[in-house]
Amino acid sequence: MGPSSSEPAHPLRTIRDIREALPADQVAHFDAELAVTDLDDLPAMLTRWATTAHDGFVDFLQQAPFEDLEFGTRSYDEAQGPE
């Protein structure tokens, strides 16, 4: 069952909350998009940025983005016979 209608979709409730939760290098992008977003599109734009600011993905990438990953092979690079 999903969250009840009384629970917010995410804890960031104001534009200031969203801005403060973003990494410093993303704030200018947020401000630029906010400045040109049509009023009708504003809820979707803010929800997208709030989700991005709150989901922890950026923090995850900045902490240890390639830990435990192997590079140099692809799943389809299995040994294949001559064509």
Side-chain angles (χ1 to χ4, degrees), residues 10-59:
H10 41 73
L12 305 176
R13 303 303 301 159
T14 67
I15 293 172
R16 178 179 293 142
D17 291 344
I18 296 169
R19 287 183 89 251
E20 290 174 353
L22 291 169
D25 63 333
Q26 292 297 308
V27 173
H29 297 292
F30 173 80
D31 290 344
E33 186 174 346
L34 181 62
V36 298
T37 298
D38 185 86
L39 287 178
D40 293 336
D41 298 329
L42 191 58
M45 178 263 184
L46 292 174
T47 298
R48 182 170 37 81
W49 277 97
T51 302
T52 300
H54 186 269
D55 70 3
F57 183 69
V58 172
D59 292 334

Side-chain angles (χ1 to χ4, degrees), residues 44-81:
M45 178 263 184
L46 292 174
T47 298
R48 182 170 37 81
W49 277 97
T51 302
T52 300
H54 186 269
D55 70 3
F57 183 69
V58 172
D59 292 334
F60 167 74
L61 286 179
Q62 292 175 340
Q63 289 173 0
F66 305 114
E67 192 172 301
D68 298 327
L69 295 178
E70 294 181 24
F71 292 93
T73 61
R74 297 171 291 208
S75 61
Y76 53 85
D77 281 344
E78 302 297 324
Q80 297 178 357

